[in-house]
């Protein structure tokens, strides 16, 4: 069966006065129907820009998709005109943004913001749309939904506003939901509730879900598959279990080593490791490996050899560095190649 979403060699650049910023620089991945995929990486690695590119929401100027394909149901979203994309957004593909207070319109009631989408994409009349909106609020755990439809966003808590955003995303029964840092502004308890809700709805409705986050705990618990991004590129991808059990790229290893473990006792607890150096400037990205300034054991070939994703083990792809290519015995890759 063909994947629901196929991203092929996607490149999104920003053309600024200081030069071209290669925010997304040739990423490729797919998402199957009903699958939960986690995209992780530090701020500025291209996670959100890649998601916005799928939805064709990158502001132009200065941003532009310069290459690649985004196939959804076999159709290339990159080649669609704006009218066709409006039929996709909020209908077949929905997005949950990271800050609901800036995503919801403060001068419209929650009910109006829900019914507007239903009237536009589902051709419902006002009374039917309101009934459906009430059902959606109930589905996402908002009590007294009939009354709350007439409330404004500022009358909801942060967690409730995010539930409203999820209700809006689900309103047209989309095949894919992209959740961009959906729990960033919420406390830990509410984060868990929102993520459990999204996972349950995804399983019940068969909706594919992309969760974009920097929180490794989130993907460990909720994702089927993980994509690790660094400096606009994918450096490793596999199942969530495999990534945590057998991380291979030095950046992935560094991320995992920087997370405190709850199961560590006084005898096994070690000092957390920091990733050395600074991420590269995407407006003036050095040639060769993008991780060269952060690597603890760089060699001359790191300055010229561009890492390429290779399938090291079944369904486990890693962007191998010069150490592995030339069998330097890098500490990150101790196995014989």
């Amino acid at each position: 069966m063909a994947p629901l979403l196929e991203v092929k060699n996607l490149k999104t650049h920003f053309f600024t006065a200081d030069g071209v910023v290669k925010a997304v620089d040739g990423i490729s991945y797919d998402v199957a129907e009903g699958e939960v995929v986690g995209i992780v990486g530090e701020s500025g690695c291209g996670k959100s820009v890649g998601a916005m590119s799928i939805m064709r929401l990158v502001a132009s100027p200065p941003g532009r998709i310069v290459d690649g394909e985004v196939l959804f149901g076999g159709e290339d979203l990159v080649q669609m005109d704006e009218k066709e994309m409006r039929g996709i957004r909020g209908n077949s593909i929905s997005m949950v943004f990271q800050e609901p207070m800036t995503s919801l319109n403060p001068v419209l009631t929650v009910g109006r913001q829900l019914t507007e989408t239903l009237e536009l994409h589902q051709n419902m009349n006002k009374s039917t749309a309101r009934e459906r909106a009430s059902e959606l609020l109930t589905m996402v755990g908002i009590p007294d939904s009939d009354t709350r439809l007439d409330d404004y966003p500022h009358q909801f808590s942060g967690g409730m506003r995010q539930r409203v955003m999820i209700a809006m995303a689900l309103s047209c029964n989309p095949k894919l939901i992209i959740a961009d840092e959906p729990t960033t502004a919420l406390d830990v308890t509410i984060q868990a509730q929102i993520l459990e809700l999204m996972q349950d709805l995804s399983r019940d409705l068969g909706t594919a879900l992309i969760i974009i986050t920097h929180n490794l705990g989130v993907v460990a618990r909720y994702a089927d598959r993980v994509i690790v991004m660094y400096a606009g590129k994918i450096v490793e991808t596999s199942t969530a279990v495999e990534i945590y059990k057998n991380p291979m790229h030095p950046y992935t290893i560094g991320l995992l080593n920087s997370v405190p473990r709850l199961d560590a006792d006084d005898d096994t607890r070690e000092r957390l490791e920091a990733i050395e150096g600074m991420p590269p400037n995407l407006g003036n990205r050095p040639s060769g490996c993008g991780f060269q300034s952060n690597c603890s054991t760089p060699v001359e070939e790191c300055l010229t050899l561009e890492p390429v994703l290779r399938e090291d083990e079944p369904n486990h792809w890693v962007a191998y560095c010069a150490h592995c290519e030339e069998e330097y015995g890098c500490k990150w890759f101790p196995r014989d190649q």
Side-chain angles (χ1 to χ4, degrees), residues 28-335:
S28 300
Y29 64 92
D30 57 64
V31 179
E33 293 185 8
E35 185 179 25
V36 179
V37 175
I39 301 180
V40 301
E42 61 196 43
S43 297
C45 71
K47 308 185 302 295
S48 294
V49 173
M52 299 288 274
S53 299
I54 294 173
M55 299 288 284
R56 294 270 304 278
L57 291 175
V58 175
S60 178
R64 188 167 76 241
I65 298 174
V66 299
D67 196 9
E69 299 176 304
V70 179
L71 302 179
F72 181 73
E75 297 186 42
D76 189 0
L77 302 184
V78 175
Q79 301 301 323
M80 287 186 177
D81 59 34
E82 187 57 30
K83 182 179 180 180
E84 291 175 309
M85 278 305 303
R86 282 198 298 268
I88 295 289
R89 295 190 199 108
N91 189 18
S92 299
I93 305 177
S94 293
M95 194 160 185
V96 178
F97 297 95
Q98 59 181 297
E99 179 44 68
M101 198 58 198
T102 58
S103 303
L104 293 169
N105 191 325
V107 300
L108 295 179
T109 65
V110 163
R112 180 56 192 143
Q113 295 183 63
L114 281 165
T115 57
E116 184 178 33
T117 303
L118 294 167
E119 292 170 17
L120 176 64
H121 291 298
Q122 302 293 304
N123 297 317
M124 293 183 180
N125 58 40
K126 290 185 177 180
S127 61
T128 305
R130 185 176 174 87
E131 290 177 10
R132 174 59 176 162
S134 179
E135 292 174 2
L136 287 166
L137 291 188
T138 301
M139 184 187 301
V140 297
I142 296 180
D144 198 15
S145 57
D146 287 335
T147 301
R148 298 312 303 267
L149 285 174
D150 298 319
D151 288 342
Y152 290 86
H154 73 271
Q155 295 174 278
F156 290 77
S157 67
M160 287 296 183
R161 285 195 292 267
Q162 197 61 287
R163 290 174 186 267
V164 171
M165 290 295 298
I166 295 171
M168 292 177 66
L170 292 169
S171 59
C172 295
N173 300 314
K175 296 179 180 179
L176 171 66
I177 295 177
I178 302 173
D180 185 8
E181 303 271 11
T183 60
T184 296
L186 307 177
D187 63 58
V188 176
T189 303
I190 304 301
Q191 281 184 24
Q193 293 176 4
I194 294 297
L195 290 165
E196 291 285 353
L197 171 66
M198 295 183 69
Q199 185 184 53
D200 291 343
L201 291 172
S202 174
R203 289 174 175 172
D204 294 343
L205 303 176
T207 304
L209 178 62
I210 297 176
I211 300 178
I212 299 169
T213 183
H214 60 271
N215 188 331
L216 293 171
V218 168
V219 295
R221 182 175 177 86
Y222 301 103
D224 300 315
R225 190 156 48 92
V226 178
I227 296 169
V228 182
M229 287 190 65
Y230 181 81
K233 295 179 178 289
I234 294 174
V235 295
E236 187 167 2
T237 178
S238 186
T239 64
V241 172
E242 178 67 12
I243 286 287
Y244 282 82
K245 178 182 177 182
N246 186 29
M248 294 182 178
H249 193 275
Y251 179 61
T252 309
I253 294 170
L255 286 178
L256 293 174
N257 287 343
S258 67
V259 177
R261 296 178 61 100
L262 294 177
D263 60 348
D265 54 31
D266 293 336
D267 295 329
T268 60
R269 186 178 291 112
E270 298 178 358
R271 186 179 180 85
L272 297 179
E273 296 183 18
I275 298 176
E276 300 178 8
M278 295 291 290
N281 180 0
L282 298 185
N284 186 23
R285 194 176 186 274
S287 59
C289 177
F291 196 68
Q292 59 186 262
S293 62
N294 304 86
C295 185
S296 60
T297 55
V299 294
E300 184 177 350
E301 281 74 7
C302 296
L303 304 177
T304 56
L305 290 180
E306 180 77 26
V308 178
L309 277 174
R310 288 201 324 220
E311 192 173 15
D312 181 82
E313 296 178 359
N315 298 317
H316 193 154
W317 296 76
V318 187
Y320 276 114
C321 71
H323 295 281
C324 188
E325 290 285 350
E326 301 298 330
E327 299 183 13
Y328 277 93
C330 171
K331 72 172 185 177
W332 304 113
F333 301 99
R335 304 179 319 282

